[in-house]
């Protein structure tokens, strides 16, 4: 019996190592296939770059220090508005001819809301459970705007890319978009935050994903089994048949398989 247990342990170790190697290979292959489909990574967010040029407008909500805006403007000449709720962080966003900064909080409803400033500038949030993951330094009231109110008051054009990294507020904002809003936006790249301990809301995320797919968006979970890098691409804006086929393979085959393998490997490590 001890010898049998030893063989079983060896077999599990070999299987685990093989699955980890397979997950890495599949991840690299998926990234290469995505790039061939016009999908590239920009500061932790995947975007479709086929149609990006100097005429494209990028709305960067949750800009932090503006890294996403600066890289996408440098690579494709896009005009960006970098929106950041924290005044302390907002002041550190460099402006250029292509990048304009805006100190504003964005949410699903307009009005005053408590804002929790975290020791980590990337974790400041309306939700204390997110900000507390790195320690809350202070809290204060900010006046939040909806997507439509922000666009109206700042006189913003419809974005080619709507980037959301707003520490939990992405749920209310996405729920507040109506069918006309969704039809006009070319793509949405979003970091969900149910991976933060104590925040959860996975069911809300699943409902949002189903609604966006029903509204005509290709849904690519580029972050794997974590919900930290989702790309929603408006099917109406995918021009070539080749890209439609490749995106379909990514959405329906490659990414689901990768997610299952990564989840299995994660559970075995836990």
């Amino acid at each position: 019996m001890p010898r049998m247990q030893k063989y079983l342990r060896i077999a599990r170790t070999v299987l685990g190592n093989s699955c980890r190697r397979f997950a890495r290979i599949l991840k690299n292959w998926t990234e290469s296939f995505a790039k061939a489909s016009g999908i590239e990574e920009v500061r932790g967010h995947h975007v479709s770059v086929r149609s990006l040029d100097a005429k494209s407008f990028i709305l960067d909500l949750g800009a932090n220090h503006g890294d996403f805006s600066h890289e996408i403007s440098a690579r494709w000449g896009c005009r960006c508005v970098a929106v950041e709720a924290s005044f302390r962080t907002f002041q550190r966003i460099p402006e250029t001819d292509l990048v304009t900064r805006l100190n504003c909080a964005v949410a699903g409803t307009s009005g005053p809301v408590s804002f929790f400033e975290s020791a980590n500038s990337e974790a400041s949030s309306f939700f204390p459970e997110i900000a507390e993951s790195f320690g809350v330094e202070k809290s204060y009231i900010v006046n939040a705007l909806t997507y439509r109110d922000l666009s109206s008051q700042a006189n913003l054009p419809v974005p080619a890319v709507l980037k959301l990294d707003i520490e939990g507020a992405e749920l209310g904002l996405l729920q507040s978009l109506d069918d006309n809003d969704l039809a006009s936006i070319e793509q949405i790249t979003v970091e969900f935050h149910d991976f933060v301990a104590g925040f959860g809301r996975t069911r809300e995320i699943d409902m949002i994903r189903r609604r966006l797919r029903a509204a005509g968006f290709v849904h690519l979970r580029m972050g794997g089994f974590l919900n930290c890098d989702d790309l929603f691409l408006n099917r109406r804006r995918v021009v070539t048949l080749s890209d439609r086929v490749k995106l379909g393979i990514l959405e329906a085959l490659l990414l689901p398989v990768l997610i299952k393998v990564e989840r299995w490997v994660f559970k075995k490590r836990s």
Side-chain angles (χ1 to χ4, degrees):
M1 191 67 179
R3 179 174 294 180
M4 179 62 69
Q5 291 176 341
K6 176 182 178 181
Y7 290 154
L8 286 173
R9 284 197 300 270
I10 293 172
R12 281 196 293 267
T13 300
V14 171
L15 179 61
N17 291 337
S18 298
C19 285
R20 282 191 287 273
R21 283 195 295 271
F22 177 65
R24 287 194 295 269
I25 292 169
L26 185 57
K27 178 74 171 177
N28 292 335
W29 195 53
T30 301
E31 284 287 346
S32 298
F33 196 86
K35 193 166 185 177
S37 308
I39 308 297
E40 296 195 27
E41 186 266 334
V42 180
R43 295 288 176 165
H45 289 265
H46 280 79
V47 296
S48 174
V49 303
R50 284 280 195 249
S51 61
L52 294 185
D53 56 27
K55 297 179 182 178
S56 302
F57 170 66
I58 314 299
L59 184 55
D60 182 358
L61 302 184
N64 198 249
H65 296 147
D67 294 340
F68 177 87
S69 287
H70 281 283
E71 180 168 335
I72 204 167
S73 66
R75 291 174 67 180
W76 292 283
C78 308
R79 185 168 73 86
C80 306
V81 171
V83 180
E84 174 55 46
S86 165
F87 182 69
R88 180 179 65 184
T89 306
F90 156 80
Q91 290 178 304
R92 298 173 183 170
I93 301 174
E95 287 194 302
T96 68
D97 291 340
L98 293 175
V99 177
T100 303
R101 63 184 186 177
L102 185 62
N103 182 212
C104 179
V106 186
T109 57
S110 292
V113 62
S114 296
F115 184 73
F116 299 88
E117 191 98 54
S118 175
N120 180 344
S121 64
E122 294 183 339
S124 297
S125 174
F126 300 145
F127 300 92
E129 57 267 41
I130 291 180
E132 284 170 356
S133 57
F134 292 94
V136 175
E137 294 190 337
K138 59 181 177 179
S139 63
Y140 48 90
I141 302 298
V142 297
N143 186 47
L145 295 177
T146 63
Y147 166 80
R148 284 189 291 278
D149 286 344
L150 171 66
S151 298
S152 175
Q153 292 184 25
N155 194 29
L156 301 178
V158 174
V161 178
L162 174 60
K163 175 255 187 179
L164 301 176
D165 193 353
I166 46 179
E167 306 307 311
E170 68 278 353
L171 301 180
L173 187 145
L174 288 169
Q175 289 164 344
S176 74
L177 299 179
D178 63 24
D179 291 343
N180 290 330
D181 294 326
L182 293 175
S184 66
I185 299 170
E186 184 174 321
Q187 56 184 302
I188 303 170
T189 180
V190 54
E191 178 178 308
F192 292 111
H193 292 82
D194 62 328
F195 61 87
V196 177
F199 184 66
R201 294 168 172 82
T202 301
R203 293 182 67 181
E204 286 183 60
I205 294 172
D206 289 339
M207 290 176 64
I208 289 169
R209 285 169 165 165
R210 286 196 295 271
R211 186 197 168 207
L212 289 176
R213 287 195 294 264
F217 283 82
V218 176
H219 173 215
L220 304 177
R221 292 181 61 177
M222 300 304 299
F225 79 102
L226 295 176
N227 296 323
C228 58
D229 182 14
D230 279 31
L231 174 61
F232 298 93
L233 182 59
N234 197 322
R235 294 182 191 274
R236 302 177 189 89
R237 308 302 177 94
V238 182
V239 178
T240 68
L241 177 60
S242 174
D243 279 350
R244 289 182 181 181
V245 171
K246 290 174 185 175
L247 291 171
I249 293 172
L250 272 173
E251 181 181 35
L253 180 61
L254 292 181
L255 287 170
V257 171
L258 175 62
I259 288 166
K260 287 182 180 179
V261 172
E262 287 185 337
R263 186 176 286 121
W264 187 89
V265 170
F266 179 78
K267 286 181 180 179
K268 290 299 179 182
R269 284 179 172 177
S270 301

